[in-house]
Amino acid sequence: MKHQKLTYWLAAILTLAACTGSSDNDVTLYGDAAITTFSLGTMNRYVDGVKSTYSGNTYSFHIDQVRHEIYNTDSLPMGTDVSRVVCNISAVNNGQVLIEDPDDSNLLSFYSSSDSIDFTSTRYLRVYASDGSGHSRYSVKVNVHQQDGETFVWTRMPDIPVMSGLKALCHGGRMYIFGNEGGQTRAYSTADGASWSAESLPPLTDADAWRSVIASKDSIYLMDSNSIYHTKDFSAWQSEPVAMLSADIQPACLIGSTTEELYAIDSRCSQIVTRYEGFHYWFDEERDADDMLPTRDFASVSYPMSYSDSTDYMLFAGNRLVGGADGSGQWRSAVWRKTADYSSSGIINILETEGIIGGKWTYIDRADETMYVLPALEGLQLVKYDDGILALGGKGLSDESISVCSAIYKSRDNGITWKPDSHYTMPPDDSQTGVKLNAAATSITAAVDSQSYLWIFCAGTGEAWRGRLNRLGWE
C-alpha cells in the first residue's frame, strides 16, 4: 500500500481540483459514489506450517448498498493469511476509492490494485464521486473459518442405560435407543443427549424385539413375534395384522423403509417382503439373484435420489456364510439395492388386491478379485452422511485385523465400493491410559440426527458419542 497519507480535506480538495477547468471535450463527471465490485486476488494459506495458494476470486463478496457493507458469506479456508491481500475494487462512473487508516479514520490512502491491504480486522473504504459532490463509506470484512471444515470432532456424551444389544434411530427431532435390558426390550429417548427418558412400549414377548424396530416418514414400527406395532409419538401403540399374498411367506424382522414402503425379511432369510404405506398386504419382491440374501447383522439406509423426483434409493446389507455351513466357510457381506419410483408416472402400480408391482432388488456382486468391498462387520451399521454412506460396526467376522470400532468405511457410489475414509475416525483413545474408550463394547449402533451429528452408542458399556464434520455445522 502506498505510504502517502492524505487527510480528509486534502482528498476532497484533490477530487474537486480534478473537475476544475472542464470543457465540452472533457470526460463527463458524475455525482454517483458507490463500489460495484470487490474480489480477492491470490491468497496464501498455511496449514501445519505448509504454505499453499489459491485464487481468492472463487469466493464471492456481497455488497450491501443500503448498509454500505462488503463481506463474504462463504468464509475463506482456515489458515488463510489476510494480513497482506491484493484485491480488485471498482466504483461506479470512475469514482475514486480511498482506504482509511485502521488507527485514524481521517488518514486516507489511494487504493491501488497492486498494493496489499491488511484485512485481519474490519477495514473502511471511501469512494468519492467523480464530480466531487460527495462520498460513500463502506465497511469491509473478510471472513475466515476458524475450523478445518473436513475435521471430524467427537464429544463424549452422558452414558445411556447399559443394555446387551442396541438399535438407534432418529425420529421427529428426538434420538431413540432400543435394546435388551434385563431380558426385556426397552426404549429411551432424548432431545439433546443430556438426559434420557424411558418410553412406553406395547406388551412384548421377545427380549430381542429391538432388532426389528424401524422408522418410517411419520411413525416408528416394531415387530414382536407375529405382531407389528406402530406409533407416531409413543403416546399410544397400535397393532396391525400381517396379511400376506402368499401363505408361505411371513415377515420375521423389519429391516428398513423408504418414503412409501416398509421392508422385512422372512424367517428363512430367503425373501425380502414389502408393504406399501396405508395397505395391509405384504408381498415378495422380485430379485435378480437367488440365495444371496444376508442371514445376520441386517442394516439398511434409504434416501431421496437427487436427480429424480419422487424416487428413493434403498440399500440393504448384512453378512452371510459362504462356502459351507459346518464352520469351514467364510463370512462375507451381501449388499442389495433398489430404486423405488413413487411418482404418478413411475413404475409403481398400487393394487391392494394384487400387491404393488415395484422396482426389482439388485445384488451388488462381490467377486473375490473385487477391490474395496464392504467388510463383514459384526453388528453392521449403515448411515447416510454428507455426500455418501458410512458403514461401521464391531469386529471383522472373517478378518481378525478388524477390531471393534476400528474404522469407518465410506461409499461415494451408493454402496458399490467401500474404503476407509481418513476424515472419519472412531471416538478417541483415553488420554491417560491410551485405551480406546469403546473397546469393551459388545456391539455398537449408530444414527444421524437432523443437525448432521453422527451418534454412536455402545452395548455393554452405555458409552455415548456424538461427532460431526465441522463444515456441516456451519451456517
Side-chain angles (χ1 to χ4, degrees), residues 135-203:
H135 76 278
S136 297
R137 185 173 186 254
Y138 289 79
S139 67
V140 182
K141 185 177 182 181
V142 178
N143 296 306
V144 181
H145 281 301
Q146 302 305 306
Q147 298 175 322
D148 182 355
E150 300 305 320
T151 297
F152 197 93
V153 180
W154 287 103
T155 301
R156 177 77 182 267
M157 305 298 288
D159 287 358
I160 63 172
V162 176
M163 291 181 272
S164 61
L166 291 174
K167 189 168 185 180
L169 56 87
C170 188
H171 177 75
R174 295 184 67 84
M175 184 65 65
Y176 292 89
I177 284 290
F178 293 77
N180 185 330
E181 182 182 22
Q184 291 184 315
T185 292
R186 304 288 190 186
Y188 297 86
S189 73
T190 183
D192 54 12
S195 61
W196 292 82
S197 302
E199 297 287 356
S200 61
L201 294 175

Side-chain angles (χ1 to χ4, degrees), residues 374-375 377 389-392 402 407-411 418-421:
L374 178 66
L377 299 176
I389 305 171
L390 302 184
L392 57 161
I402 302 177
I408 295 179
Y409 301 84
K410 184 173 184 178
S411 175
W418 301 84
K419 301 177 184 178
D421 193 306

Side-chain angles (χ1 to χ4, degrees), residues 187-250:
Y188 297 86
S189 73
T190 183
D192 54 12
S195 61
W196 292 82
S197 302
E199 297 287 356
S200 61
L201 294 175
L204 303 175
T205 59
D206 187 354
D208 289 330
W210 57 270
R211 298 181 185 275
S212 195
V213 61
I214 61 172
S216 70
K217 61 182 178 181
D218 60 2
S219 298
I220 290 178
Y221 286 82
L222 179 64
M223 188 169 186
D224 178 56
S225 299
N226 293 325
S227 300
I228 295 179
Y229 301 89
H230 63 91
T231 183
K232 293 184 180 295
D233 55 9
F234 281 84
S235 61
W237 288 85
Q238 295 180 339
S239 62
E240 62 180 56
V242 179
M244 295 301 303
L245 292 182
S246 176
D248 62 344
I249 300 174
Q250 186 72 25

Side-chain angles (χ1 to χ4, degrees), residues 338-354:
K338 174 190 173 183
T339 301
D341 184 352
Y342 302 120
S343 65
S344 58
S345 59
I347 60 175
I348 298 299
N349 178 22
I350 306 171
L351 297 173
E352 186 171 14
T353 57
E354 299 181 13

Side-chain angles (χ1 to χ4, degrees), residues 20 169 403:
T20 304
L169 56 87
S403 59

Side-chain angles (χ1 to χ4, degrees), residues 335-394:
V335 184
W336 291 79
R337 61 179 175 176
K338 174 190 173 183
T339 301
D341 184 352
Y342 302 120
S343 65
S344 58
S345 59
I347 60 175
I348 298 299
N349 178 22
I350 306 171
L351 297 173
E352 186 171 14
T353 57
E354 299 181 13
I356 308 166
I357 303 172
K360 181 171 68 174
W361 285 92
T362 301
Y363 176 64
I364 300 178
D365 195 11
R366 55 153 295 171
D368 288 340
E369 65 274 11
T370 303
M371 298 179 64
Y372 309 123
V373 298
L374 178 66
L377 299 176
E378 187 176 43
L380 175 67
Q381 303 288 305
L382 297 178
V383 294
K384 183 73 171 69
Y385 196 79
D386 192 24
D387 60 347
I389 305 171
L390 302 184
L392 57 161

